[in-house]
C-alpha cells in the first residue's frame, strides 16, 4: 500500500507578474512539491499573478494597503485571510511590502522570501542593479526565512549565476529569474518534507 504524503497548504503573497508563483503552482500540480497553493493575495489589483492564480482555480484576493491604517493593521487582515485558508506556509514572491511582527509571530519560521542576489550582499530594492554597479563577477538568488529585518533572515538555499561583461539589469535579472524558478520550489519542497530546522542564524537541511 502506498501512502499519500501530507500536502502543505501554501499562501502566496505577490505584487506583480508572479513568474515565481507560476513556477510554484506548476511544481505543486506536477507533484514535485508536496503542497497546494490555496490562496494568492496581492496588494495591487493589477498584479498579473492574480490572473495566473485564477487560471488554476486558486482563490485570488486583492488586499489594498491604502485601505488600512498602517502596516500592522494590514498584516492583521492578512493573517486573518491566511488562517481562513488554513495556510501552513506563507511564500513571499515579489511582494513589495515590509512585513511586520504581526504576520511573523502568527507564522513563526513559516514565512519565506526569495531575493535576487546572494545575501547578505545587496539587500533591499534593485538588487541586480546594485550587483552590476558594485562590479561583482557572480550574483544569484537566495531563499530565506523572513525575520523582522530587510532580507536578513536565515538562509535556506542559494544559487549562483555569472555576471557577464555585457550584462544589463535586464539580462542579469533574466538569468537570475531562471534560477529562482528552480530554487524556490526546491526550498518549499524541503519545508514540505519537514527537512528544515532553524538553529540560530543557520538553517539545517536534514536527511530524509
Ligand atoms: C523576483 O526577482 C524576486 O527575487 C523578487 O521579486 C521578483 C518577483 O518576480 N523578490 P516575479 O513576480 O515572481 O516574476
Amino acid at each position: 500500500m502506498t501512502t499519500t504524503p501530507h500536502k502543505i497548504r501554501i499562501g502566496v503573497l505577490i505584487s506583480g507578474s508572479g513568474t515565481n508563483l507560476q513556477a510554484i503552482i506548476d511544481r505543486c500540480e506536477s507533484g514535485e512539491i508536496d503542497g497546494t497553493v490555496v490562496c494568492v493575495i496581492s496588494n495591487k489589483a493589477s498584479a498579473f499573478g492574480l490572473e495566473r492564480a485564477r487560471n488554476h482555480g486558486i482563490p485570488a484576493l486583492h488586499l489594498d494597503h491604502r485601505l488600512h491604517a498602517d502596516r500592522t493593521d494590514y498584516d492583521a487582515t492578512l493573517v486573518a485571510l491566511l488562517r481562513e485558508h488554513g495556510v501552513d506556509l506563507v511564500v513571499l514572491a515579489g511582494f513589495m511590502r515590509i512585513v511586520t511582527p504581526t504576520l511573523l509571530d502568527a507564522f513563526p519560521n513559516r514565512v519565506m522570501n526569495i531575493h535576487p542576489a546572494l545575501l547578505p550582499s545587496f539587500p533591499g530594492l534593485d538588487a541586480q542593479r546594485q550587483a552590476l554597479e558594485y562590479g561583482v563577477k557572480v550574483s544569484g538568488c537566495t531563499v530565506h526565512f523572513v525575520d523582522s529585518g530587510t532580507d536578513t533572515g536565515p538562509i535556506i538555499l542559494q544559487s549562483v549565476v555569472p555576471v557577464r561583461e555585457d550584462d544589463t539589469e535586464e539580462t542579469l535579472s533574466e538569468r537570475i529569474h531562471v534560477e529562482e524558478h528552480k530554487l524556490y520550489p526546491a526550498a518549499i519542497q524541503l519545508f514540505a518534507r519537514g527537512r528544515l530546522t532553524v538553529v540560530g542564524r543557520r538553517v539545517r537541511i536534514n536527511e530524509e
Side-chain angles (χ1 to χ4, degrees):
M1 201 178 83
T2 53
T3 51
T4 318
H6 169 68
K7 281 185 183 250
I8 58 160
R9 296 175 66 82
I10 303 165
V12 184
L13 308 187
I14 58 162
S15 300
S17 156
T19 64
N20 279 285
L21 164 69
Q22 188 68 58
I24 294 162
I25 293 172
D26 292 345
R27 300 305 202 295
C28 287
E29 288 184 352
S30 72
E32 287 160 88
I33 295 176
D34 294 320
T36 313
V37 178
V38 293
C39 65
V40 173
I41 305 174
S42 170
N43 65 315
K44 296 233 173 88
S46 59
F48 183 62
L50 289 174
E51 207 165 313
R52 293 179 191 274
R54 289 189 198 107
N55 288 339
H56 289 261
I58 299 166
L61 313 162
H62 169 221
L63 188 60
D64 195 341
H65 54 270
R66 291 167 306 188
L67 302 180
H68 291 77
D70 53 27
R71 286 187 200 286
T72 303
D73 183 45
Y74 184 83
D75 282 4
T77 310
L78 261 185
V79 168
L81 283 172
L82 292 165
R83 288 210 169 119
E84 224 172 82
H85 287 87
V87 165
D88 302 306
L89 175 68
V90 181
V91 168
L92 310 186
F95 185 58
M96 302 303 286
R97 285 183 61 80
I98 292 166
V99 298
T100 68
T102 301
L103 177 71
L104 299 176
D105 293 348
F107 293 93
N109 286 335
R110 281 167 179 269
V111 183
M112 276 187 196
N113 182 43
I114 190 161
H115 182 74
L118 294 174
L119 292 171
S121 292
F122 316 127
L125 293 175
D126 300 322
Q128 299 93 331
R129 189 190 314 163
Q130 292 185 55
L132 283 175
E133 282 174 359
Y134 196 92
V136 290
K137 298 299 185 187
V138 294
S139 190
C141 47
T142 304
V143 179
H144 62 94
F145 284 116
V146 176
D147 66 8
S148 55
T150 301
D151 303 320
T152 52
I155 291 171
I156 302 167
L157 289 176
Q158 294 187 297
S159 183
V160 179
V161 307
V163 177
R164 304 236 163 94
E165 293 301 320
D166 55 354
D167 260 339
T168 61
E169 214 180 316
E170 288 68 39
T171 57
L172 178 59
S173 299
E174 225 171 273
R175 196 172 309 119
I176 291 173
H177 249 128
V178 172
E179 290 307 308
E180 290 188 3
H181 299 159
K182 295 183 254 177
L183 197 70
Y184 219 170
I188 294 168
Q189 175 62 354
L190 288 172
F191 179 92
R193 302 295 295 180
R195 293 183 57 193
L196 302 178
T197 314
V198 181
V199 187
R201 277 214 50 83
R202 300 186 72 176
V203 179
R204 195 192 310 257
I205 300 175
N206 308 300
E207 295 296 320
E208 283 252 42

